[in-house]
């Protein structure tokens, strides 16, 4: 099975001025494409190892598979987590109620999500996810696959790898997160929440 790089659900310039065309083009066309390529390669190498019975590089290819696989999966969710922006962007309905229940208020949730995402050590993601027990939590995930407890169902992701923002914002990760907040597709996040709510 070959994994593929899907087209974005909007044009490269659709998220301007909050997310610039050039960064988005490179992010999707080079970086996400690299994860797809890496995942396909690791998948092929693992199949070869099963065929030949030579598992001497198993640690390496399992790590490659986890890294590129998680990168591919997160980026697919990330692209669909965004839409053309607006200043007063906010969740609504059941999702807003759940956020208020688990975080105390909308403002407290926003403050925690932004702080956790800004504080990710090195490359990583800010993630809002539903836990197997039913509650919503925010996680600072390193790379794509570390500090990510099993069983989580992510519903919102903010990419804070340097490739996501450095071209426009340089080391100012906080400004990227502020900008990202304006382009979150809350309808999509709400649909994901509905899907995992009772799972
Ligand atoms: Fe990325």
């Amino acid at each position: 099975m070959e994994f593929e790089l899907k087209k974005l659900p909007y044009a490269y310039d659709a998220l301007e001025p909050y997310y610039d065309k050039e960064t988005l083009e490179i992010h999707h066309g080079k970086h996400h494409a690299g994860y797809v390529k890496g995942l396909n390669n690791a998948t092929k190498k693992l199949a070869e190892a099963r065929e030949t019975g030579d598992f001497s590089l198993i640690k390496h290819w399992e790590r490659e598979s986890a890294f590129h696989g998680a990168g591919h999966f997160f980026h697919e969710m990330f692209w669909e987590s965004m839409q053309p922006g607006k200043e007063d962007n906010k969740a609504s309905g059941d999702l807003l109620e759940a956020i208020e229940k688990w975080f105390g208020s909308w403002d407290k949730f926003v403050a925690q999500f932004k702080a956790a995402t800004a504080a990710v050590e090195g490359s990583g993601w800010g993630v809002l996810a539903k836990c197997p027990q039913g509650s919503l939590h925010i996680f600072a995930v390193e790379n794509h696959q570390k500090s990510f407890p099993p069983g989580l169902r992510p519903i919102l992701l903010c990419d804070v790898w340097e490739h996501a923002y450095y071209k426009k914002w340089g080391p100012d990760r906080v400004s990227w997160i502020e900008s990202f907040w304006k382009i979150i597709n809350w309808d999509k996040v709400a649909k994901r929440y509905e899907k995992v709510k009772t799972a």
Side-chain angles (χ1 to χ4, degrees), residues 27-189:
H27 195 173
H28 177 255
K30 298 277 183 213
H31 293 281
H32 187 177
Y35 297 124
V36 173
K37 196 175 165 196
L39 176 59
N40 281 328
N41 191 40
T43 304
K44 193 176 116 205
K45 294 292 182 185
L46 288 168
E48 281 173 16
R50 287 193 298 277
E51 261 333 286
T52 61
D54 178 1
F55 290 106
S56 55
L57 293 176
I58 189 70
K59 250 196 214 178
H60 172 72
W61 291 117
E62 289 290 357
R63 280 187 185 135
E64 282 288 287
S65 175
F67 175 80
H68 291 289
H72 174 45
F73 171 62
F74 268 21
H75 280 91
E76 282 202 332
M77 278 196 88
F78 175 63
W79 306 132
E80 292 186 357
S81 298
M82 298 185 287
Q83 65 180 0
K86 57 181 176 186
E87 286 296 314
D88 57 341
N89 202 16
K90 189 177 174 178
S92 60
D94 282 358
L95 175 60
L96 178 59
E97 274 179 34
I99 285 172
E100 287 169 344
K101 175 180 173 186
W102 295 110
F103 296 98
S105 74
W106 170 257
D107 289 345
K108 286 177 186 161
F109 159 72
V110 174
Q112 185 183 337
F113 190 96
K114 287 179 177 174
T117 307
V120 169
E121 259 185 75
S123 302
W125 302 75
V127 178
L128 172 66
K130 198 208 108 194
C131 284
Q133 293 78 12
S135 49
L136 288 176
H137 290 269
I138 291 162
F139 294 90
V141 177
E142 293 167 20
N143 285 1
H144 313 295
Q145 78 283 28
K146 295 176 185 168
S147 342
F148 193 69
L152 286 186
R153 306 293 293 268
I155 60 172
L156 172 67
L157 305 161
C158 178
D159 189 340
V160 286
W161 280 63
E162 286 184 356
H163 68 228
Y165 62 90
Y166 225 79
K167 191 158 186 44
K168 177 166 177 182
W169 288 277
D172 186 6
R173 182 187 278 181
V174 169
S175 288
W176 153 234
I177 297 167
E178 288 298 328
S179 222
F180 171 74
W181 211 254
K182 310 289 198 308
I183 50 176
I184 295 172
N185 183 342
W186 284 110
D187 287 342
K188 183 72 191 177
V189 179

